[in-house]
Amino acid sequence: MPFRVEHRSLEAPASSGASSCVLRLSLWPHQSLPPVGFVWAIGVALAVISLPLLALVGTAALWGILPFALGAVGILWLALKRSWRDRRILETFALTRERASLRREAANEAAREWEANPYWVRVELRHEGGPVEDYVTLEGGPRAVEIGAFLTPSERRELAAVLREGLRAAKA
């Protein structure tokens, strides 16, 4: 599952008034191609492209077609590597009784952070009208922010329920 509840405390507030973590979540995109699958994909592509080239071994036509065949495998390699790099995203949501914060770290951009008082934070689940189905946003504080846009619709619904439960506990 591309999100993990690292800490959940739904108890009554501590009498000492100390800040205690109510909810901590980590979210990341699903990685459907593990490193072993990458090796297999490149190997199978090389094998499939090499089979027709075997008939051309020893002819001048091989040298005309070989650069294009290797170029196709190279383009596949680069596309898969780019896909991996673009999917290196980590969103971390932390909720205490005094503060709700979200940090998004992506491969090619600076980390973005958002903070708000949990009393004013609302979880909005838009079934339609968002960039994706069942779009989840946190509203409150300086601006509304999306969370888990890379999750599937069912995972976003589950995430919204977990966030609402945590916010109810923080407000209690």
Side-chain angles (χ1 to χ4, degrees), residues 97-154:
R97 302 198 189 287
E98 294 81 31
R99 185 178 71 143
S101 65
L102 177 66
R103 179 178 174 88
R104 179 184 170 96
E105 300 171 24
N108 293 332
E109 55 188 62
R112 294 184 284 175
E113 296 188 13
W114 171 86
E115 288 186 3
N117 183 333
Y119 184 79
W120 300 108
V121 174
R122 290 185 330 271
V123 177
E124 294 291 329
L125 179 65
R126 294 187 180 104
H127 299 288
E128 294 178 8
V132 293
E133 183 183 342
D134 292 330
Y135 187 62
V136 180
T137 59
L138 297 172
E139 298 184 3
R143 66 187 188 281
V145 292
E146 69 180 354
I147 182 169
F150 43 77
L151 300 174
T152 64
S154 62

Side-chain angles (χ1 to χ4, degrees), residues 52-93:
L53 293 178
L54 288 176
L56 300 175
V57 172
T59 66
L62 174 69
W63 298 107
I65 295 176
L66 189 61
F68 295 103
L70 293 177
V73 174
I75 289 172
L76 176 64
W77 177 290
L78 292 174
L80 290 175
K81 285 293 193 177
R82 171 74 189 261
S83 174
W84 272 359
R85 189 180 76 232
D86 290 347
R87 302 299 282 173
R88 277 188 288 169
I89 299 171
L90 177 65
E91 291 182 355
T92 308
F93 177 77

Side-chain angles (χ1 to χ4, degrees), residues 156-170:
R156 284 192 292 272
R157 287 189 295 271
E158 185 180 339
L159 172 65
V162 168
L163 289 171
R164 285 184 179 125
E165 181 182 342
L167 285 169
R168 266 194 300 277

